[in-house]
């Protein structure tokens, strides 16, 4: 029901279906800060946040957004800025934290996600699956 802004939740649901013991998935929706306690209890080595990020790119464009760049972009519709969440997690965990941004086409609260975003989510899902498969081999 959140259109392109719901891309993080859709990806979290898809990744949850992988049932891989090497990863823990949290669907933060619009309040990812509510999951900081659970995240810290997992003692992760890496945290990957995936969200809709307005980057003035073509819809579906995927980019790793560095912490120093966050102020340059409009990031989704969260109660708390993701930069605050990232700073908090950096001070309370030893995890390496990454923000993967996907350029939305439409941030209106509509029922359907844009086809470009579906395509990008499929690409990102394949990347995660490929990475997990390779981790198991090593």
């Amino acid at each position: 029901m959140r259109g392109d802004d719901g891309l993080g939740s859709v990806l979290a649901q898809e990744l949850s279906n992988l049932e891989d013991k090497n990863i823990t998935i949290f669907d933060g929706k619009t309040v990812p800060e509510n999951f900081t306690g659970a995240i810290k209890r997992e003692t992760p080595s890496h945290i990957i946040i995936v969200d809709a990020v307005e980057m003035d790119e073509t819809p579906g464009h995927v980019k790793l957004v560095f912490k120093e760049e966050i102020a340059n972009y409009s990031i989704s519709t969260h109660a708390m800025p993701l930069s605050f969440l990232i700073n908090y997690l950096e001070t309370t965990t030893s995890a390496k934290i990454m923000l993967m941004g996907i350029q939305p086409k439409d941030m209106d609260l509509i029922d359907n996600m844009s086809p470009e975003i579906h395509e990008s989510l499929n690409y990102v899902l394949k990347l995660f699956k490929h990475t997990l498969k390779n981790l198991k081999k090593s």
Side-chain angles (χ1 to χ4, degrees), residues 87-114:
N87 285 335
Y88 176 76
L89 290 171
E90 283 180 331
T91 61
T92 58
T93 72
S94 60
K96 293 179 179 153
I97 303 171
M98 295 174 269
L99 170 60
M100 179 182 289
I102 299 177
Q103 173 68 50
K105 181 176 183 178
D106 188 351
M107 290 293 283
D108 290 338
L109 299 180
I110 56 175
D111 290 347
N112 298 319
M113 188 174 290
S114 303

Side-chain angles (χ1 to χ4, degrees), residues 66-130:
F66 295 98
K67 186 173 98 169
E68 300 78 28
E69 298 176 300
I70 290 175
N72 299 334
Y73 300 121
S74 174
I75 300 177
S76 202
T77 54
H78 296 287
M80 174 193 296
L82 283 182
S83 58
F84 290 0
L85 173 66
I86 291 170
N87 285 335
Y88 176 76
L89 290 171
E90 283 180 331
T91 61
T92 58
T93 72
S94 60
K96 293 179 179 153
I97 303 171
M98 295 174 269
L99 170 60
M100 179 182 289
I102 299 177
Q103 173 68 50
K105 181 176 183 178
D106 188 351
M107 290 293 283
D108 290 338
L109 299 180
I110 56 175
D111 290 347
N112 298 319
M113 188 174 290
S114 303
E116 297 91 336
I117 304 309
H118 272 293
E119 185 177 325
S120 292
L121 287 178
N122 286 333
Y123 172 75
V124 170
L125 186 59
K126 286 178 188 175
L127 283 176
F128 276 103
K129 286 179 179 179
H130 179 73

Side-chain angles (χ1 to χ4, degrees), residues 15-94:
L15 288 171
S16 293
N17 293 333
L18 297 178
E19 297 181 11
D20 190 300
K21 293 178 183 171
N22 293 314
I23 61 171
T24 302
I25 308 297
F26 293 99
D27 180 1
K29 298 188 182 357
T30 59
V31 286
E33 61 273 14
N34 288 352
F35 295 88
T36 56
I39 291 169
K40 289 189 303 185
R41 281 191 295 279
E42 291 290 326
T43 60
S45 62
H46 292 77
I47 299 171
I48 303 171
I49 300 169
V50 181
D51 204 0
V53 176
E54 179 55 60
M55 301 176 278
D56 290 324
E57 295 286 347
T58 58
H61 179 82
V62 179
K63 178 183 180 187
L64 286 179
V65 178
F66 295 98
K67 186 173 98 169
E68 300 78 28
E69 298 176 300
I70 290 175
N72 299 334
Y73 300 121
S74 174
I75 300 177
S76 202
T77 54
H78 296 287
M80 174 193 296
L82 283 182
S83 58
F84 290 0
L85 173 66
I86 291 170
N87 285 335
Y88 176 76
L89 290 171
E90 283 180 331
T91 61
T92 58
T93 72
S94 60

